[in-house]
Amino acid sequence: MNTKALIDKIEALPADRIAEIEDFVDFIRAREEARTLRRAFAAASEPAFARVWNNAQDSIYDAV
């Protein structure tokens, strides 16, 4: 990826378009942070769900 070329293209845009790009980059960053948090929450809750779902009393439902 040619970062310099991308920066040059952005700098050539009018100020309102640069603001749009900045908003979009912020959106992408926030989306990635949210994905990272969701993955961490899922990994942290996995053992608790496993204890609830993996029990002898409910094993009959596993066949359904």
Side-chain angles (χ1 to χ4, degrees), residues 2-59:
N2 188 348
T3 306
K4 174 74 172 118
L6 178 58
I7 291 170
D8 290 344
K9 288 178 182 180
I10 293 170
E11 287 175 342
L13 293 171
D16 62 326
R17 293 296 185 189
I18 292 174
E20 284 183 48
I21 292 170
E22 184 178 7
D23 290 344
F24 182 66
V25 170
D26 291 343
F27 164 75
I28 292 172
R29 183 178 292 133
R31 184 178 65 183
E32 187 57 35
E33 289 173 3
R35 284 180 181 165
T36 301
L37 285 173
R38 279 194 302 271
R39 286 186 203 115
F41 290 148
S45 63
E46 222 171 81
F49 282 120
R51 283 192 302 274
V52 171
W53 288 328
N54 297 329
N55 67 66
Q57 291 175 332
D58 293 337
S59 64

